[in-house]
Amino acid sequence: MKSNIFNILVLSVFLKILYIGFAFVLESNTDYFGFEHSTEGVISLFKRHDAYWYQNIHDNGYPEVNSRKELGWHNDAEYHQSRWGFMPGYPLAIKVISSLLNISFNASAFIISIVFSTLCFILFYWLSSLWFQKTKNAFYATLLFMVMPFNYYFSMMYTEAIFCSLLFGALIAVKKKKYILLAILTAIMTIFRANGLVLLLPIALFVLENENLLENFKLKKAIWNWNI
């Protein structure tokens, strides 16, 4: 199991190097895509779209709101978006790191992306080993999970890596019946992404299943009625 975790660590770093290498190849073949060939320029490859909203919250906090309209609105092509559309957990975590280490938003967010994308893969492996009960199967499942194209977002300056780390940690806590830890992880999870609230239901069902409380429970056919 230790050797598998080591291999996951190495592959996690390799994937990030691969992303950077792909960016250099892409830049050499199109004028549309470009970045500075420096440490800051390489880090900026992982900073896109919503990352700038998180930086704004990190630098300036949330604006004062005097009416519901200031929270955001749209009228066909016209729209107004505010920082209040983003949960506070991620910018707060970056603020703590940047303040403690006296570094920039970019550097703090990049450190978090490296740490939690790797932690996410390790926790997925741990959870898989509990489900499959074979470290070999768990390792191959983790490799498949790591190389899925959309999991590139785990390396971005987004909430995905932290959120999934908390989610996998919560599921492991259920399997281990560590319910105080479960409560802490799910509480933190909800301040990183709003869909953390939605996931409380399946996690609660998993708790009931893990305690064998659903063993003799059967849903009646009538429950699938469209009116219900």
Side-chain angles (χ1 to χ4, degrees):
M1 190 170 185
K2 289 182 180 179
S3 63
N4 286 341
I5 291 175
F6 176 76
N7 290 333
I8 290 169
L9 286 169
V10 172
L11 183 57
S12 179
V13 174
F14 174 74
L15 281 172
K16 289 165 182 56
I17 295 173
L18 192 64
Y19 296 149
I20 295 169
F22 177 73
F24 276 96
V25 172
L26 189 64
E27 183 193 39
S28 64
N29 286 279
T30 176
D31 295 330
Y32 176 76
F33 185 85
F35 61 95
E36 292 183 11
H37 294 180
S38 63
T39 302
E40 194 66 28
V42 169
I43 291 176
S44 70
L45 292 171
F46 301 93
K47 183 182 181 182
R48 292 288 186 270
H49 306 298
D50 287 351
Y52 291 95
W53 282 100
Y54 290 122
Q55 183 175 15
N56 200 339
I57 297 169
H58 168 274
D59 294 343
N60 307 306
Y62 289 91
E64 183 179 346
V65 174
N66 298 307
S67 67
R68 290 179 61 183
K69 191 173 182 180
E70 292 180 53
L71 292 173
W73 55 269
H74 76 91
N75 182 16
D76 295 329
E78 298 181 8
Y79 67 92
H80 169 71
Q81 187 174 354
S82 76
R83 281 168 264 165
W84 285 103
F86 299 88
M87 301 294 281
Y90 185 59
L92 178 61
I94 297 174
K95 190 71 173 181
V96 169
I97 299 298
S98 64
S99 298
L100 288 176
L101 301 181
N102 194 27
I103 54 179
S104 67
F105 169 89
N106 284 5
S108 303
F110 187 60
I111 290 172
I112 287 176
S113 71
I114 291 175
V115 171
F116 280 94
S117 61
T118 304
L119 179 61
C120 174
F121 298 143
I122 292 173
L123 290 173
F124 182 89
Y125 170 70
W126 187 2
L127 182 61
S128 298
S129 67
L130 294 175
W131 276 337
F132 293 127
Q133 297 181 341
K134 287 185 178 180
T135 56
K136 183 178 180 180
N137 291 351
F139 180 64
Y140 286 125
T142 305
L143 291 184
L144 179 62
F145 179 68
M146 293 175 71
V147 299
M148 290 178 70
F150 286 107
N151 286 355
Y152 162 75
Y153 286 98
F154 288 137
S155 298
M156 295 290 288
M157 296 180 188
Y158 293 158
T159 59
E160 276 79 353
I162 296 181
F163 183 78
C164 281
S165 296
L166 292 166
L167 176 59
F168 295 150
L171 296 176
I172 292 168
V174 174
K175 291 292 288 185
K176 295 290 186 178
K177 299 187 178 182
K178 305 290 185 182
Y179 295 127
I180 294 177
L181 176 61
L182 172 65
I184 294 170
L185 292 175
T186 51
I188 298 172
M189 187 174 70
T190 57
I191 66 170
F192 275 87
R193 292 178 68 93
N195 52 351
L197 292 168
V198 179
L199 285 174
L200 292 179
L201 176 58
I203 290 173
L205 290 173
F206 188 34
V207 171
L208 296 176
E209 181 188 75
N210 197 58
E211 293 290 344
N212 297 319
L213 296 176
L214 297 179
E215 194 169 299
N216 298 317
F217 180 75
K218 293 182 179 179
L219 294 175
K220 296 179 181 179
K221 290 183 179 179
I223 202 171
W224 304 113
N225 183 282
W226 279 111
N227 291 331
I228 294 176

